[in-house]
Amino acid sequence: MSDPVIKGRCLCGNITYSADADPAAVVMCHCHDCQRQSGAPFSLNIVVDRAAFTIDGDSLKTYETVGEESGEKRERMFCADCGSTMLSILAEADDMAIIKAGTLDDASWVMPEMEVWCEERQPWLENGEERGEFPRGLPT
C-alpha cells in the first residue's frame, strides 16, 4: 500500500473514518458471528492500530457480543441509519480497530493474509492454505 491513510464510510455517508497507519493484518474471519454480522460467508477485516484510527458521525451504534471461545467482549459497531457494519473492537486486543473492508473508499490494495475460524468456513468455499489457516481463532 503506497499511501498509509485508510479511509472509508458507511452506505449513507453519515459515518466516516480514517487510519493514518499501515494495516497490522488483513484477515478473513469465518466465525458464525462475523457471518451473521456481515450477511456473508465471512468478514474481511483490516486490523489497524486504534491510536491511528478516527471515526466521525452521529449515527454510530454498538452491539456487544461475547467471543465464542475467548469469552471476551466484542464491540460491533454499525451505522444506525443505513445498517452498514463498520468495525469491531475485541476486548483482548482493544488497542486495535478491526475495520470491515467493504466500507473502504478504496479496497483495491486489500489482499487477505490469513483466515481464522476455518472450522466454521462454508463448505463450498475453497481453502486458503497459501494465506495461513487457523481452525479456531488467531494463534496465541
Side-chain angles (χ1 to χ4, degrees):
M1 190 172 146
S2 60
D3 182 359
V5 177
I6 298 169
K7 295 181 180 182
R9 65 179 182 84
C10 65
L11 184 61
C12 69
N14 286 342
I15 305 291
T16 59
Y17 64 80
S18 65
D20 191 16
D22 286 326
V26 179
V27 181
M28 291 173 68
C29 183
H30 298 279
C31 80
H32 289 174
D33 283 349
C34 278
Q35 290 180 35
R36 286 183 183 93
Q37 181 187 34
S38 67
F42 58 84
S43 177
L44 185 54
N45 303 291
I46 313 302
V47 182
V48 298
D49 183 348
R50 194 167 172 191
F53 180 79
T54 58
I55 191 162
D56 295 300
D58 60 3
S59 59
L60 188 67
K61 299 293 181 192
T62 301
Y63 182 75
E64 288 185 11
T65 61
V66 174
E68 183 177 320
E69 189 165 284
S70 70
E72 298 281 353
K73 180 176 77 170
R74 277 86 175 89
E75 295 179 355
R76 300 180 179 276
M77 299 175 197
F78 63 97
C79 176
D81 290 340
C82 67
S84 294
T85 301
M86 303 298 296
L87 72 143
S88 296
I89 305 293
L90 309 182
E92 67 271 29
D94 64 355
D95 59 334
M96 305 304 280
I98 303 169
I99 301 167
K100 303 305 176 178
T103 64
L104 293 168
D105 287 346
D106 174 18
S108 64
W109 57 269
V110 175
M111 179 62 69
E113 300 165 334
M114 68 181 84
E115 296 185 43
V116 297
W117 287 97
C118 294
E119 287 181 356
E120 296 178 2
R121 177 175 40 217
Q122 295 299 314
W124 48 267
L125 280 172
E126 293 183 17
N127 70 33
E129 290 173 356
E130 70 281 355
R131 285 186 283 274
E133 292 186 344
F134 304 96
R136 302 292 292 167
L138 286 171
T140 55

